[in-house]
């Protein structure tokens, strides 16, 4: 009747309550944080996949790195060297 995921969740909850002494309110907060972290992880993975796809598309089209960049590239700045110090 229960999935493996359900059993893992129950085991996690029991571990929090029995072994670590976390109360019900604390368990609820931890579970919410865990779900949010998993969602953020999925969003980050989706973003990485999107960037990878865009980069591969640009590379296959033979575009220079600066053209169609996700972040605008600045021209390199030349900084004059400082004169030698007098001793």
């Amino acid at each position: 009747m229960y999935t493996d995921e359900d059993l893992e969740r129950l085991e996690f909850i029991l571990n929090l309550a029995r072994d670590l002494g976390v109360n019900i309110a604390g368990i609820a907060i931890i579970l919410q944080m865990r779900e949010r972290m998993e969602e953020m992880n999925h969003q980050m993975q989706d973003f990485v996949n999107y960037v990878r796809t865009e980069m591969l598309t640009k590379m296959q089209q033979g575009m220079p790195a600066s053209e169609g960049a996700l972040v605008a590239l600045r021209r390199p700045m030349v900084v004059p060297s400082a004169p030698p110090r007098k001793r």
Side-chain angles (χ1 to χ4, degrees):
M1 293 180 100
Y2 295 103
T3 66
D4 288 340
E5 186 177 308
D6 291 334
L7 295 175
E8 287 175 11
R9 183 178 171 100
L10 286 171
E11 186 177 343
F12 180 73
I13 292 170
L14 284 173
N15 182 38
L16 288 174
R18 287 184 184 162
D19 299 340
L20 301 176
V22 179
N23 63 20
I24 293 174
I27 291 171
I29 291 170
I30 291 169
L31 290 175
Q32 288 174 351
M33 289 173 52
R34 191 174 179 190
E35 288 173 8
R36 287 181 185 162
M37 288 175 59
E38 288 175 6
E39 178 60 31
M40 289 185 340
N41 188 31
H42 289 299
Q43 290 175 354
M44 184 59 82
Q45 191 60 46
D46 290 344
F47 177 71
V48 168
N49 290 336
Y50 168 76
V51 171
R52 181 180 295 128
T53 301
E54 287 296 311
M55 287 177 57
L56 289 172
T57 301
K58 303 283 186 206
M59 290 170 55
Q60 289 171 349
Q61 293 173 351
M63 294 179 119
S66 61
E67 192 176 316
L70 295 175
V71 177
L73 299 175
R74 290 195 265 172
R75 294 183 186 174
M77 186 168 52
V78 177
V79 179
S81 60
R85 289 184 173 181
K86 294 183 182 178
R87 291 186 179 183

